[in-house]
Amino acid sequence: MNGSGTAPTVPRPAYRRLSVAERRAQLLTAALGLFAQRAPEDVSLDDVANAAEVSRPLVYRYFPGGKQQLYEAALRSAADDLEGCFAEAETGPLTQRLGRALDRYLAFVDQHDAGFSALLQGGSVVETARTDAIVDEVRRTAAEQILHHLGAPEPGPRLRMMVRTWLTAVEAASLIWVDEEKQPPLDELRDWLVDHFVALIVVTSATDEETARIAAVALAAETREGPVGTLVRRLAPAFGDAAHLL
């Protein structure tokens, strides 16, 4: 209380007008948060306005095309984040690079689980050729990044198929992981997916000369303590029992 017997006035924080870019980013963040929790068709513009603490007309001001435009913009924003997951420095053995990329990718899946599932499984009433193209772009970018790290910017059909097959497995495993209440733990899922890549490149190298050359270089850079060394030691007993097949 002050000397007059009334409570002192608590100053309110000064209102700061957001720039166009800041306001748009705010709305996209709110929309992505909602799409991560519910299927796109279950999210309304009122929901986005409430989450961003703005009016519905303000949402329309930035997205005059309504929910469809907002969804595509949010999807584009999420796709940019996913594409960035596979941008990795060219340092260390290949499996370490893949592991770091998968850590970022799986963290995104963990944070946007429901939205990620709705995005990849399709079936949304707001799905269009444009949204499909955005998803396909993420897949192409991821494949290009991996092929770059393999030293094969213009791969032959077998190597390209191998990389695309692995990326399909990563997507499928991520969807199953969300459906299975996020089990096993993320680090175990990451390690299993790295092992899957090693197995694919080794098997493909048995019948494809290009892949064999790339695999030889990649495996030569691995260490005994790394993922490939650990995988070889785990597989050795099983292959020992298969010696009669040689």
Side-chain angles (χ1 to χ4, degrees):
M1 306 289 286
N2 57 26
S4 64
T6 60
T9 301
V10 178
R12 294 182 178 180
Y15 175 78
R16 185 173 73 89
R17 184 182 297 276
L18 298 180
S19 68
V20 171
E22 290 173 328
R23 181 66 74 188
R24 180 180 173 83
Q26 178 199 30
L27 295 175
L28 287 177
T29 298
L32 278 174
L34 292 171
F35 292 139
Q37 300 168 23
R38 306 200 294 271
E41 56 266 32
D42 295 332
V43 177
S44 69
L45 288 183
D46 285 332
D47 293 331
V48 176
N50 290 334
E53 298 183 343
V54 300
S55 66
R56 179 187 175 97
L58 183 63
V59 179
Y60 264 113
R61 175 182 172 187
Y62 282 84
F63 300 97
K67 187 170 76 170
Q68 181 65 43
Q69 183 184 9
L70 178 60
Y71 175 65
E72 290 179 10
L75 185 59
R76 176 70 268 172
S77 176
D80 289 341
D81 289 339
L82 275 174
E83 289 177 12
C85 291
F86 288 92
E88 179 62 37
E90 297 180 49
T91 58
L94 178 63
T95 53
Q96 289 184 9
R97 303 180 200 181
L98 285 177
R100 292 192 294 263
L102 283 171
D103 279 338
R104 292 188 291 270
Y105 182 89
L106 294 173
F108 180 93
V109 175
D110 189 22
Q111 184 179 359
H112 303 87
D113 46 13
F116 177 84
S117 298
L119 165 64
L120 291 186
Q121 290 177 324
S124 168
V125 296
V126 293
E127 184 179 12
T128 66
R130 290 190 299 274
T131 61
D132 289 344
I134 292 173
V135 176
D136 287 340
E137 181 183 329
V138 173
R139 293 167 178 153
R140 288 195 303 272
T141 300
E144 289 169 0
Q145 288 285 347
I146 293 171
L147 289 166
H148 173 74
H149 284 279
L150 290 173
E154 298 181 4
R158 294 293 298 279
L159 180 59
R160 182 169 58 249
M161 181 182 294
M162 186 216 80
V163 170
R164 292 179 62 185
T165 297
W166 182 72
L167 287 171
T168 299
V170 170
E171 286 186 4
S174 299
L175 290 170
I176 294 170
W177 180 75
V178 171
D179 192 52
E180 293 291 335
E181 300 182 350
K182 299 185 177 180
Q183 290 297 323
L186 274 179
D187 57 342
E188 292 183 20
L189 178 59
R190 174 204 62 215
D191 292 346
W192 181 75
L193 289 170
V194 171
D195 287 347
H196 189 184
F197 185 89
V198 173
L200 273 176
I201 197 171
V202 170
V203 169
T204 306
S205 67
T207 55
D208 183 64
E209 292 184 1
E210 178 190 26
T211 306
R213 290 193 302 271
I214 289 173
V217 173
L219 294 178
E222 297 290 334
T223 65
R224 188 180 188 280
E225 296 76 21
V228 177
T230 301
L231 179 61
V232 169
R233 289 192 296 277
R234 287 175 176 171
L235 291 176
F239 280 103
D241 294 337
H244 65 287
L245 299 175
L246 298 176

